[in-house]
């Protein structure tokens, strides 16, 4: 009798082990197309400028680095995130309020890949960024319509603009891109002006639908055209701008379009750092202030 029970127990135990092995191998989160990690996007507070840090799967990504005048605050915010290195750094366009902090980023962190639109600038800030890239031992890669990043499980970035090779306005070279994580889509518009916005709507209107929009050009009236906002139709909006900035950003016209499309909008000048979390289905937004 005792012998029979022991034999039976052994069978049950080995049955459980086999089942748990099958479950681990065939039904793990990864096999089901989910990940264990949430997407994190931090719209950092760098005053009048842009800087965004994205953490997804094994990727640490930085989009822009704010102005030189706020680089210490940028570094403080990045240090809290325990970033070891950046797999990808993107400069959306070569204006100081987007690349002013780049040399410091290269000084503090290893940067594996660096991307910028195919345009040069004559400023000292731009030159010092190029020097930092050379010092890092990497080459700047062009980012433009068609650039695609595969960020591992369920996550990609698709770039829709710049489309043309020459623009009159440097802002129009801005990277307009979509980060997709599961069902969640986030649009980043750099400082694209109405010209680039209209061009991207003409070619990519269906792909521009997003849950969250980082408004172009700090909420300037020269961007956020009706057709672009309609194509994106975001539930949430983010405006990166400085408190009492000299430009009056965000402009009344942008606030009007935000009301028209009923976009729940957060601003770095009012809310400080904005932290977005997503499991690929739901979005939650937390603000510093
Ligand atoms: Zn700007």
């Amino acid at each position: 009798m005792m012998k029979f029970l022991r034999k039976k127990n052994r069978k049950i135990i080995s049955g459980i082990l086999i089942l748990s092995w099958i479950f681990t191998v065939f039904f793990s989160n990864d096999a089901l197309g989910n990940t264990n990690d949430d997407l994190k996007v931090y719209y950092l507070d760098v005053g009048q400028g842009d800087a965004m840090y994205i953490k997804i799967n094994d990727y640490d990504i930085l989009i822009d680095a704010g102005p030189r005048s706020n680089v210490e605050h940028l570094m403080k915010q990045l240090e809290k995130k325990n970033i070891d290195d950046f797999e990808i750094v993107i400069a959306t366009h070569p204006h100081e309020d987007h690349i002013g902090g780049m040399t410091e980023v290269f000084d503090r962190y290893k940067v594996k890949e660096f991307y910028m639109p195919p345009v040069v600038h004559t400023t000292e800030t731009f030159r010092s960024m190029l020097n930092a890239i050379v010092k890092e031992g990497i080459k700047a890669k062009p980012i433009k319509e068609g650039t695609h990043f595969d960020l591992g499980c369920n996550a990609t970035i698709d770039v829709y603009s710049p489309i043309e090779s020459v623009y009159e306005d440097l802002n129009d070279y801005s990277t307009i891109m979509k980060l997709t994580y599961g069902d969640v889509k986030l649009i980043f518009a750099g400082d694209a002006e109405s010209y680039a916005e209209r061009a991207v709507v003409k070619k990519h209107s269906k792909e521009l639908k997003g849950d969250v929009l980082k408004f172009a050009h700090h909420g300037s009236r020269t961007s956020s055209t009706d057709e672009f906002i309609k194509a994106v139709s975001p539930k949430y909006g983010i405006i990166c701008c400085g408190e009492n900035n000299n430009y009056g950003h965000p402009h009344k016209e942008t606030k009007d379009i935000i009301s028209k499309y009923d976009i729940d909008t957060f601003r770095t000048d009012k809310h400080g750092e904005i932290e977005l979390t997503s499991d690929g289905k739901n979005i939650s937004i937390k603000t510093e202030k």
Side-chain angles (χ1 to χ4, degrees):
M1 186 68 179
M2 281 298 284
K3 210 175 173 186
F4 169 75
L5 265 180
R6 265 193 234 121
K7 216 173 175 184
K8 200 178 168 190
N9 279 347
R10 273 208 299 272
K11 269 190 179 169
I12 290 169
I13 290 165
S14 60
I16 290 169
L17 284 173
I18 288 167
L19 269 177
S20 67
W21 178 81
I22 289 171
F23 191 82
T24 313
V25 172
F26 296 102
F27 298 103
S28 69
N29 274 342
D30 280 354
L32 286 171
N34 301 320
T35 59
N36 300 317
D37 296 322
D38 280 343
L39 163 71
K40 288 270 188 194
V41 181
Y42 298 88
Y43 301 86
L44 302 167
D45 176 15
V46 288
Q48 183 65 12
D50 274 16
M52 284 141 276
Y53 164 56
I54 299 166
K55 176 148 193 63
I56 178 70
N57 298 328
D58 295 327
Y59 286 81
D60 294 299
I61 302 166
L62 184 71
I63 304 173
D64 289 336
R68 176 88 208 150
S69 56
N70 269 306
V71 72
E72 272 180 35
H73 193 217
L74 169 71
M75 287 302 147
K76 265 187 202 152
Q77 291 169 93
L78 291 177
E79 271 159 24
K80 283 184 194 155
K81 320 275 186 290
N82 294 319
I83 303 157
D84 50 352
D85 52 22
F86 285 109
E87 275 66 37
I88 298 168
V89 172
I90 298 167
T92 61
H93 67 295
H95 275 150
E96 205 275 337
D97 57 324
H98 297 251
I99 64 162
M102 277 300 177
T103 50
E104 197 78 12
V105 168
F106 277 99
D107 276 354
R108 300 266 186 106
Y109 296 96
K110 182 175 167 49
V111 175
K112 292 185 182 165
E113 288 186 16
F114 180 84
Y115 291 84
M116 62 181 204
V119 63
V120 291
H121 203 17
T122 52
T123 57
E124 188 49 48
T125 310
F126 185 72
R127 263 198 298 276
S128 93
M129 182 180 81
L130 291 186
N131 288 338
I133 298 164
V134 172
K135 218 172 119 193
E136 189 76 13
I138 58 171
K139 282 193 173 136
K141 296 180 182 178
I143 188 164
K144 54 187 179 177
E145 181 192 29
T147 306
H148 172 85
F149 299 93
D150 186 349
L151 307 172
C153 206
N154 269 334
T156 52
I157 288 178
D158 289 287
V159 180
Y160 304 114
S161 194
I163 296 172
E164 296 164 23
S165 48
V166 181
Y167 292 95
E168 265 177 42
D169 192 326
L170 210 50
N171 282 338
D172 278 333
Y173 286 91
S174 284
T175 318
I176 299 178
M177 59 191 159
K178 178 172 75 183
L179 167 65
T180 304
Y181 179 54
D183 298 335
V184 167
K185 294 169 174 66
L186 316 179
I187 305 287
F188 299 86
D191 275 3
E193 300 288 348
S194 53
Y195 181 84
E197 282 187 350
R198 287 195 176 107
V200 87
V201 169
K202 225 173 173 182
K203 271 190 95 172
H204 298 285
S205 69
K206 287 208 171 70
E207 295 139 285
L208 287 173
K209 175 79 196 77
D211 302 289
V212 183
L213 169 66
K214 197 295 291 178
F215 281 92
H217 199 179
H218 322 288
S220 167
R221 67 169 72 87
T222 54
S223 308
S224 297
T225 53
D226 199 283
E227 47 265 66
F228 185 74
I229 301 302
K230 200 174 165 188
V232 180
S233 296
K235 187 171 190 299
Y236 300 107
I238 311 282
I239 295 175
C240 301
C241 65
E243 215 176 337
N244 302 319
N245 64 78
N246 294 334
Y247 309 93
H249 292 155
H251 289 148
K252 185 191 171 293
E253 291 83 344
T254 309
K255 289 182 196 161
D256 288 347
I257 207 152
I258 285 168
S259 308
K260 182 180 169 187
Y261 287 96
D262 194 21
I263 305 163
D264 195 358
T265 299
F266 300 87
R267 294 164 49 171
T268 55
D269 61 335
K270 282 189 169 177
H271 301 107
E273 186 184 311
I274 298 156
E275 178 185 341
L276 179 151
T277 308
S278 176
D279 58 1
K281 279 201 180 303
N282 308 295
I283 292 169
S284 69
I285 293 176
K286 224 165 68 180
T287 63
E288 185 189 3
K289 294 185 223 171

